[in-house]
Amino acid sequence: MSTAKIDVSIVIPVYNGGDTLGPMIEKILREKRINLEIIIVNDGSTDNTAEILQTFNDPRLIVVHQTNQGVYAARNAGIAVRRGDWLILLDADDDFTDDMIVDRFRQANLHDVDVYIANGWRNEQREGDFSNTIHHHQPYNKTIKGFSWINHVVGVREWPHYLWLQIVRSEYINQLQLTFQLGSSHKDILWTTELALGNGRFYISDKPDYVYCDNHNSITHSKKYFDSRTLSYIGVISQLIRWANESRYHEVKRALLIHSLEEARHFFGMYRKKTKDKPYARAQFFQHIRFVDLLKGVNSGRKMWFLLRLYMAFVRS
């Protein structure tokens, strides 16, 4: 294996993503301006993913095969073997501009930050069209500390926690001993929160470079997956509250509690409309979350009305 310095490690978990994986790998391998490695974690795919991977003969491509353990375990496996100074986490079914990797690498180094967050488009790329972008209300084009960023994103109710918009300094990840919490979904919220709770240097760009494609055939849209998504929200909410109650995060305590209530709103929507085993979800909610903690996150009449609805729905059930 080459001992050359690696600028960027790109980790892509894949489960039955053979149809889209090949073109993405080809596009990444066309980038020759920096030294990179692509780490594909095949999470127990049963389609043609393994065959697609065998068609590539490039030393920059590293393949990790594992039994199906879920996307976050797959990301952890890729992160564990990375060698790059910077880390980019991608999904196998999205797209990005030709210069995305090198632009993020250069901008992150230019501004000497720990985390650089780009913008992106939803579903289709529209050069010059900023109405279709992922975020619109960030503290753009300046460095900002993690605590300040948390307070800002909660204040404007726009938390761009999307992994595929980030490039993160590997040394910062090591410093925080950061890995993904295991579970079925929504752990990207906690990953991004932990990045910010490290209070490192952030730079948020208004320039889009990534195209997020909402794949309606993905597992997240499967009816079998709805109950686990509901339970995942409980894990996110309870973790945000735990962090809020740690003295070292007193500067963002209020923001974390406000955000926990916002995630409770998403939980309630999933619970009411798509959850089958409501008694179990409700029991798990009461086991891990106290209404008194959510009450501390109320910052408007609308939020109070929501919390009242949630309380009455659960108490009457």
Side-chain angles (χ1 to χ4, degrees):
M1 182 177 292
S2 172
T3 58
K5 179 176 177 293
I6 304 297
D7 296 314
V8 178
S9 297
I10 300 167
V11 172
I12 306 174
V14 59
Y15 175 74
N16 291 349
D19 291 343
T20 59
L21 185 61
M24 172 172 270
I25 293 176
E26 290 175 359
K27 189 169 189 176
I28 294 172
L29 290 177
R30 286 198 293 269
E31 177 54 68
K32 303 290 180 62
R33 291 167 289 183
I34 59 174
N35 291 329
L36 58 81
E37 64 180 3
I38 314 171
I39 304 169
I40 306 292
V41 183
N42 180 13
D43 189 38
S45 297
T46 57
D47 67 348
N48 63 339
T49 292
E51 288 75 15
I52 293 294
L53 290 169
Q54 288 175 355
T55 65
F56 291 93
N57 182 23
D58 192 304
R60 295 174 296 168
L61 178 62
I62 300 165
V63 179
V64 177
H65 294 284
Q66 64 179 34
T67 58
N68 182 244
Q69 300 174 47
V71 65
Y72 298 111
R75 287 196 176 108
N76 282 340
I79 291 170
V81 299
R82 80 194 189 282
R83 296 172 296 154
D85 291 340
W86 294 87
L87 171 69
I88 294 178
L89 298 166
L90 300 182
D91 289 339
D93 55 356
D94 294 336
D95 194 14
F96 46 88
T97 60
D98 292 340
D99 295 326
M100 180 272 285
I101 298 167
V102 69
D103 279 353
R104 289 189 191 181
F105 171 74
R106 289 172 176 172
Q107 288 296 310
N109 279 294
L110 174 66
H111 299 290
D112 189 25
V113 293
D114 299 300
V115 183
Y116 175 93
I117 299 176
N119 209 338
W121 294 275
R122 297 183 186 276
N123 291 319
E124 58 181 276
Q125 183 174 331
R126 301 181 188 174
E127 295 286 354
D129 180 4
F130 290 89
S131 64
N132 193 39
T133 51
I134 302 295
H135 51 75
H136 301 87
H137 307 293
Q138 296 302 305
Y140 292 121
N141 306 321
K142 64 179 182 180
T143 56
I144 183 172
K145 295 300 290 289
F147 285 177
S148 297
W149 187 59
I150 290 176
N151 287 323
H152 175 88
V153 296
V154 170
V156 299
R157 295 182 61 201
E158 183 184 76
W159 191 303
H161 56 260
Y162 312 103
L163 305 176
W164 25 264
L165 294 181
Q166 304 170 358
I167 183 169
V168 185
R169 192 186 298 273
S170 270
E171 184 181 343
Y172 188 59
I173 295 171
N174 295 339
Q175 173 191 328
L176 300 179
Q177 298 182 315
L178 190 57
T179 58
F180 282 95
Q181 294 190 18
L182 301 184
S184 58
S185 58
H186 310 309
K187 303 305 181 182
D188 48 345
I189 299 171
L190 299 182
W191 166 275
T192 305
T193 304
E194 282 198 84
L195 285 176
L197 287 175
N199 205 27
R201 289 166 55 85
F202 281 63
Y203 188 96
I204 298 88
S205 173
D206 59 353
K207 179 182 177 181
D209 64 15
Y210 198 85
V211 186
Y212 168 69
C213 300
D214 190 7
N215 182 0
H216 291 282
N217 295 319
S218 71
I219 191 172
T220 57
H221 291 285
S222 169
K223 292 181 179 179
K224 297 179 181 179
Y225 195 61
F226 289 153
D227 279 38
S228 61
R229 286 182 63 189
T230 303
L231 297 177
S232 288
Y233 273 123
I234 293 174
V236 169
I237 297 162
S238 59
Q239 182 61 70
L240 289 171
I241 292 171
R242 281 196 293 272
W243 281 329
N245 289 327
E246 292 189 34
S247 59
R248 57 180 170 160
Y249 301 136
H250 69 277
E251 291 182 43
V252 290
K253 177 184 180 74
R254 176 68 169 158
L256 291 172
L257 291 171
I258 292 171
H259 192 56
S260 71
L261 186 56
E262 184 67 18
E263 295 300 340
R265 186 177 64 82
H266 296 308
F267 158 82
F268 193 45
M270 182 70 69
Y271 170 86
R272 286 191 305 115
K273 298 177 182 178
K274 297 182 177 180
T275 302
K276 288 185 177 180
D277 193 349
K278 286 182 169 59
Y280 182 74
R282 194 166 56 248
Q284 288 297 301
F285 185 92
F286 278 123
Q287 180 178 342
H288 296 283
I289 299 169
R290 301 186 308 166
F291 273 95
V292 66
D293 288 318
L294 293 177
L295 183 62
K296 296 174 184 176
V298 171
N299 63 344
S300 68
R302 183 183 62 85
K303 290 284 184 67
M304 178 60 81
W305 172 240
F306 157 71
L307 189 58
L308 207 73
R309 285 175 55 221
L310 176 65
Y311 179 79
M312 294 305 294
F314 276 22
V315 168
R316 289 176 178 174
S317 300

